[in-house]
Amino acid sequence: MSESFVEILTEWDIVEARQLGRNEAKRIGFGAVDQARITTAISELARNIYLYADKGRILIETIDMSGTKGIKIVAQDEGPGIEDIRLVMQDGYSTSQGLGAGLPGVRRLMDEFDIQTTVNEGTIVRIIKWLR
Amino acid sequence: MTNEIKKQYTMLLGQYLQYQTERNLYLGQNFSRRLVQKDITPEEVISIHKDSLAEIYEGSEEFTDGMKNALDFLTEFMIQYGLALREHKILLKNQEEMDHELELAANVQKTMLKTTIPTIDGLSIGSISVPARKMNGDYIYYQGDSKRFVGVGVADVVGKGIPAALCMSMVKNGLDTLGQPSISPSYAMDVLNRIVEKTDNMFISMFYGRYDVVQSTFTYCSAGHEPALLYRAKDGKFIELESEGLLLGVLPDVHNQERSVQLAKGDMVIIMTDGVTECRVDDRFLEKSELTDLIFKHKDKIPQQLAEAIFHEIEKLSQFQNLADDLTFVVLKKEDD
């Protein structure tokens, strides 16, 4: 299984993470719309790191579970963490603040979504999309 | 399913590209309705569109790479719109659920605050209370011993909607605990004030009156409430039952004064909340004289019908706009000599 990562320090690193994700998604065999969805999810997560954590990384890997292929993305930072996960996972919260699709959007674009966060330590978001 | 949609879309698009008729546009729009229903996202529609064009122009040079790239760009562009649309749908569903829950809460409130108009010889009573929103922040409380005393409380929580409505059970429980129709209005008010004062930022205006059938006296006390009206049948005049008490909940140790009036046959006491006096009529408030004219016009109806008639008149005057505030109107009428 291939695995690669991009450090997110500047806004242009977001672009690099997107590029890496799109290439990987294309290679696995995702269609154009799913490629765009996966890329958007990566973009949102990388932007969160860039805007709120200053520093972090996006890991992208191809996974295979009993023959079903998929793409797994892990966004990891050592930022301030999220105090109220339920609030940021609420529909309408992010959009109403003018921040775009936010984490609920990311969850909807993907098949699996998991978040771990500790205040003052950082946040890890893991997302997966399966190829059908 | 997606293949079926793609096939139909290709057919409809192909027809339109051949003949740009209104009919073909109409068919296309009908089809789009089905896609919306099936939750096909905007980015998927563009992808279907691109595939259809590729099929229609297969073998020709007309569908250029530049056009294909432009559609890929548009797909990317539309993802945020798709997300916004889905979020919107979910929020709509949430709202439906909340409305339903509110409906249930309003019913629980109704059951909890249920109070029945007491019957007693010599006095007839009628009332109406209409909430501005789903839950009522006005409240009418009755108690009676069927022999001598009838007590009527009308309360209006400052604010409206759910917080106001939740507060009402406090008033009911307080009065239930005092539990006797013969109780002095000022004493009842003092006790309620102590209860309400213990909760932060909760203020209630209230009018409490007690009618004594034996002596034909109406004793009342007001805590910052809209003055009640006394209608004198003898001369057809209205008198305001003023009382300068402070709102319940402002200060801990307040003593509200009570006063009494003697009622004669046909006299009426009309207790209301500011939803009545502050109802909007052509960008201004309903005037006292307009209200007394309305009451006078319907004075010969039995109290319940009188209360309902006043409400309908007010509805008409405000041109059936939504009520600005909860509205309550209680009529007590002395029937015997």
Side-chain angles (χ1 to χ4, degrees), chain A residues 18 22 32-33 35-40 44 90-96 100-102 104-106 108-109, chain B residues 40-48 50 72 75-77 79-80 82-88 90-91 94:
Chain A
R18 287 175 59 111
R22 193 185 297 274
V33 176
Q35 281 176 34
R37 285 179 181 147
I38 291 162
T39 309
T40 305
E44 293 282 330
Q90 228 171 57
D91 283 300
Y93 174 73
S94 174
T95 23
S96 71
V106 172
R108 233 166 266 138
L109 290 166
Chain B
I40 307 290
T41 61
E43 67 267 22
E44 276 169 310
V45 174
I46 293 161
S47 159
I48 293 168
K50 185 187 161 198
D72 284 340
T75 303
E76 192 77 24
F77 204 84
I79 289 208
Q80 295 286 348
L83 285 172
L85 186 70
R86 271 158 87 177
E87 186 178 69
H88 178 75
I90 286 167
L91 290 176
N94 286 354

Side-chain angles (χ1 to χ4, degrees), chain B residues 88-317:
Chain B
H88 178 75
K89 276 188 180 168
I90 286 167
L91 290 176
L92 274 182
K93 217 184 111 233
N94 286 354
Q95 198 187 349
E96 257 169 46
E97 280 169 14
M98 266 160 64
D99 281 348
H100 179 66
E101 224 165 283
L102 208 55
E103 200 93 41
L104 293 179
N107 281 335
V108 171
Q109 187 204 19
K110 243 180 236 160
T111 320
M112 259 178 17
L113 298 182
K114 197 171 164 30
T115 174
T116 35
I117 296 186
T119 48
I120 195 158
D121 286 340
L123 186 78
S124 56
I125 305 171
S127 65
I128 189 162
S129 186
V130 186
R133 301 189 197 160
K134 280 224 167 73
M135 293 180 87
N136 202 338
D138 282 0
Y139 180 51
I140 312 171
Y141 181 88
Y142 290 113
Q143 55 182 352
D145 59 10
S146 334
K147 293 190 290 281
R148 182 167 177 185
F149 292 108
V150 169
V152 186
V154 173
D156 179 1
V157 179
V158 173
K160 48 184 173 266
I162 303 171
L166 288 175
C167 190
M168 274 312 165
S169 36
M170 209 159 55
V171 172
K172 178 182 171 20
N173 290 341
L175 289 168
D176 276 348
T177 310
L178 291 169
Q180 39 185 315
S182 62
I183 200 149
S184 125
S186 68
Y187 176 67
M189 216 68 118
D190 290 352
V191 173
L192 279 180
N193 181 57
R194 279 201 292 276
I195 298 173
V196 177
E197 200 273 329
K198 287 198 169 61
T199 57
D200 286 337
N201 295 319
M202 196 67 84
F203 306 107
I204 299 177
S205 83
M206 180 152 177
F207 187 96
Y208 189 86
R210 181 195 66 198
Y211 181 65
D212 178 348
V213 176
V214 173
Q215 303 200 321
S216 300
T217 48
F218 182 76
T219 308
Y220 63 94
C221 182
S222 169
H225 199 79
E226 190 65 32
L229 290 172
L230 169 62
Y231 170 74
R232 289 293 192 197
K234 197 175 66 183
D235 55 9
K237 293 227 164 72
F238 288 88
I239 302 162
E240 280 196 352
L241 297 183
E242 288 271 18
S243 171
E244 56 284 337
L246 201 61
L247 285 174
L248 299 180
V250 177
L251 290 171
D253 286 308
V254 181
H255 179 63
N256 290 296
Q257 295 291 329
E258 65 181 34
R259 298 178 186 181
S260 288
V261 283
Q262 200 73 29
L263 299 192
K265 186 180 181 182
D267 285 358
M268 291 190 284
V269 173
I270 297 130
I271 311 166
M272 66 203 103
T273 56
D274 53 12
V276 175
T277 45
E278 285 173 15
C279 110
R280 309 292 294 187
V281 180
D282 315 323
D283 291 335
R284 58 175 179 81
F285 291 135
L286 181 76
E287 276 176 36
K288 263 273 145 67
S289 62
E290 288 176 287
L291 178 64
T292 51
D293 285 351
L294 288 176
I295 298 169
F296 192 79
K297 179 175 154 194
H298 295 284
K299 67 178 182 346
D300 296 325
K301 294 195 161 84
I302 61 165
Q304 185 58 40
Q305 284 173 5
L306 170 60
E308 284 164 20
I310 298 296
F311 174 65
H312 292 311
E313 295 272 10
I314 287 175
E315 257 188 328
K316 220 187 307 174
L317 276 175

Side-chain angles (χ1 to χ4, degrees), chain B residues 2-14:
Chain B
T2 333
N3 273 335
E4 189 53 39
I5 288 171
K6 216 172 273 179
K7 244 169 72 185
Q8 286 215 41
Y9 186 85
T10 308
M11 190 191 77
L12 289 167
L13 178 65

